[in-house]
Structures are given as structure tokens and as C-alpha cells.
Amino acid sequence: NRLMNEIILELYKQNYAISNLAPFSESFYRRYGYENAIYEKMYELNPTYLRFFKPVKEGKIVRGKWKDSDLKEAVINLYQAKLNQNNQRNTVDREDWWWHRLDTYYPGRFICVYFDKNNQPAGYMFYRIRDREFRVEEMYYKTPQAVKALLSIIASHSSSDLKYYVKMPESSLLGEFFPEQEGLKVQILPYMMTRIINVEQVLEALHLINAGKIKIEITDDEIVAENNGTWEIDQINKDTKVRKTEKDPDYSGSLTNWTKVLLGHLTLKQAVRLGFIKEHHPVDNDFIKGEVSFYDYF
């Protein structure tokens, strides 16, 4: 208990905005302000459905290992391009040392990169075959052609003896590429918990759907007292201003429940209907949160 309190306070002093962790117990870490905010979508593919995906006729697929510098460069460039779109939320910004450790942390993985007709990388995936399971542990694609090409690689391993799993971000629409979907098994699974360390920083990083003001009250942060209180968010065009106020809030809730809204997948209206957030003065607004593409485990 002392250790968790000390860590969170130290993170606040060092100006960290959030903390993520893989919980051994959700209820345990919720005591310290963590809440489920990062989910993954797991597809279990029916092997007979892989027949829909044929070898590519345009562009090419290159397979290899992480030691292949050309493939590594293509993957890093694609991943970084996704981050640069500015629609990512809580997606890990992998530094050089992080990329370097991937092969040690996830040994035995194969890489596939799809290059389009202009020889530009347009999609990649990491996969492993173990214990009669074909598991795609990371997949990203820029175009429909890229995802079909990657699925064709899975199809090239088609076997009734294998089980096929593809892990994707929660917002994934991978199933739409299958002409028949009834045999797909799709699960949304909690993955990482998030703790808002500095409420002001998080609010400043978010944008509202509509220009205007909204006042939210945050309660029950028993470790970082500075996070508690009523915060006024004022958005003028794309400029967001955040300040504490003594005015009555439009909405109230605990730090963990606000995490569901600010960094999780709940909209403000959904949180109100579920009873997580209390509505005092209805405001026609909500937070633009982007999408989570979280493949990393730590």
C-alpha cells in the first residue's frame, strides 16, 4: 500500500499524465485509482473461412524475422505513421530501445509486410505458430488490399488441425472483410488498466466534439488530492483551455469512473445512463478520444 502510494505521487511530481499496467487483480488496482480503459478484440477464425483469401495479384508479401533490417524498417515506419495521424489514444510511442527488445520479449515471431504496387509498405503482422495455434499478435493495415493480403498469408497455412486467432485493437472492423461471418468468434477482452495521474494534463490533451464549455467534478482520488475538484473545459476552435473553478459542475463522478469516459470506451451519455457519472446540467457535448492500438505487454 505504501509502495503504490509512493509510486503514484512520484509520477505526479515528475509530470506523468497516466500510468498503465497489466493487473493480476482488477479490484486490487482499482483501490489505487486504476480502471479498465484498454481492451483488445480477439478473433477466432473458422479455418474454412480462410478460403475467401487468395494470394495477392498486385504488390507483394515479404516474410521474415525481426533481424531482417528492411522488414524492421517497414514495420517501424508504418507504426510511426499511425501515431502521426493524431487519432491515437494511449497507444505506446515505441522508442528505439523498445523496438530493439521486441524480439527478445516475443521470441520466435514471424513478420509479414505487404508492399503495394509502388513498393510502399501498406500493412504488417507478427505471428507465431505454437501448440497447434496460429496466433497473430499484431496487425496493422492502411488499405483494404493490405489486410486481404495479410489474411491470404494466414490462409496459406490453412489446416483443420490448427486454431486461428487474430488480436486487434478494440475498434477493429476486421470481420467485415469476411463474406461469411456467422462462424467468426469475436471477443472484447480487458487488457490494461489505466490510472490518471494528472487530470489537468489529460483534459488538456482531449478535445470536445462541439466548441463551448463543460464543467466536470472529479472525486475520490485519495492519493493525488490535486486531481479532485471541478474542472472547466473551454474549447474555442481547436484550442482547449482547462482550469479549476468554484462553479457548480455539469457532471460529477469518481476518478475511476471518469477514466471510463476520458480514456475508456464509454461516451459521457453512456456513463450517465449506467450510473457511473451523475448529470446535474445536461450539456450537448462529449470528448473526442481517438482509438487505442495497444499491442504491448508490460
Side-chain angles (χ1 to χ4, degrees):
N1 186 64
R2 290 197 302 270
L3 181 61
M4 288 300 299
N5 279 266
E6 181 179 338
I7 290 172
I8 291 167
L9 286 172
E10 183 63 25
L11 290 173
Y12 181 81
K13 291 176 183 177
Q14 293 189 26
N15 293 316
Y16 282 90
I18 59 174
S19 166
N20 295 321
L21 54 78
F24 75 90
S25 166
E26 296 169 32
S27 58
F28 174 85
Y29 283 110
R30 196 169 284 117
R31 289 160 40 193
Y32 302 100
Y34 288 84
E35 186 52 80
N36 290 319
I38 301 171
Y39 294 78
E40 63 183 19
K41 184 176 283 188
M42 184 65 73
Y43 294 88
E44 182 177 350
L45 309 182
N46 186 323
T48 62
Y49 284 16
L50 295 173
R51 71 183 188 276
F52 298 122
F53 305 100
K54 307 300 182 184
V56 296
K57 295 181 179 179
E58 186 178 273
K60 62 180 180 179
I61 288 277
V62 181
R63 285 185 280 185
K65 293 280 195 165
W66 192 239
K67 62 183 180 181
D68 188 318
S69 59
D70 290 337
L71 290 182
K72 182 187 296 186
E73 182 182 4
V75 169
I76 293 174
N77 287 341
L78 283 167
Y79 188 93
Q80 195 60 44
K82 177 172 59 176
L83 283 179
N84 293 341
Q85 293 172 359
N86 294 323
N87 66 344
Q88 295 295 305
R89 165 176 52 93
N90 221 346
T91 298
V92 175
D93 187 357
R94 292 166 168 167
E95 297 182 9
D96 288 343
W97 66 268
W98 192 280
W99 285 112
H100 183 69
R101 73 190 266 279
L102 277 186
D103 202 39
T104 302
Y105 207 66
Y106 302 104
R109 294 205 299 192
F110 294 94
I111 308 170
C112 286
V113 177
Y114 169 70
F115 294 86
D116 63 21
K117 62 181 180 181
N118 299 315
N119 204 35
Q120 296 300 308
Y124 73 86
M125 72 177 181
F126 294 136
Y127 69 91
R128 285 189 277 194
I129 303 175
R130 285 184 174 179
D131 301 323
R132 308 308 300 165
E133 293 182 348
F134 187 110
R135 288 191 173 270
V136 176
E137 298 174 342
E138 180 169 336
M139 178 190 286
Y140 172 66
Y141 52 89
K142 294 173 63 177
T143 64
Q145 181 65 25
V147 65
K148 292 176 183 178
L150 295 173
L151 288 169
S152 75
I153 294 300
I154 303 176
S156 70
H157 292 80
S158 181
S159 168
S160 59
D161 294 332
L162 287 176
K163 290 186 176 181
Y164 297 85
Y165 300 92
V166 182
K167 184 175 79 168
M168 296 292 289
E170 184 186 5
S171 59
S172 167
L173 298 175
L174 183 68
E176 300 301 318
F177 291 99
F178 288 79
E180 294 187 27
Q181 300 181 22
E182 185 179 4
L184 296 178
K185 295 180 181 179
V186 185
Q187 290 181 289
I188 303 294
L189 304 171
Y191 190 45
M192 290 274 177
M193 297 185 79
T194 298
R195 211 271 191 204
I196 296 178
I197 300 295
N198 189 310
V199 166
E200 186 174 9
Q201 283 193 44
V202 170
L203 294 176
E204 287 176 343
L206 298 176
H207 293 289
L208 297 172
I209 293 174
N210 303 314
K213 296 181 180 180
I214 185 172
K215 299 182 292 296
I216 67 170
E217 182 185 26
I218 294 178
T219 64
D220 300 318
D221 190 338
E222 299 179 357
I223 300 177
V224 184
E226 291 86 347
N227 287 332
N228 295 318
T230 300
W231 298 87
E232 182 180 79
I233 302 103
D234 185 6
Q235 183 169 301
I236 304 172
N237 296 321
K238 294 184 179 181
D239 185 26
T240 303
K241 295 183 179 179
V242 177
R243 67 182 184 90
K244 270 195 170 179
T245 179
E246 297 298 323
K247 298 177 183 178
D248 292 334
D250 300 313
Y251 299 90
S252 298
S254 66
L255 178 76
T256 51
N257 284 339
W258 275 113
T259 302
K260 297 175 185 286
V261 175
L262 300 176
L263 296 175
H265 53 206
L266 291 185
T267 66
L268 183 53
K269 289 182 179 179
Q270 288 172 333
V272 170
R273 287 200 300 268
L274 291 169
F276 295 130
I277 300 296
K278 185 175 182 180
E279 183 177 68
H280 304 289
H281 312 110
V283 176
D284 184 22
N285 221 332
D286 208 332
F287 296 91
I288 300 174
K289 298 180 290 187
E291 64 180 42
V292 179
S293 301
F294 206 102
Y295 309 102
D296 302 83
Y297 187 87
F298 54 84

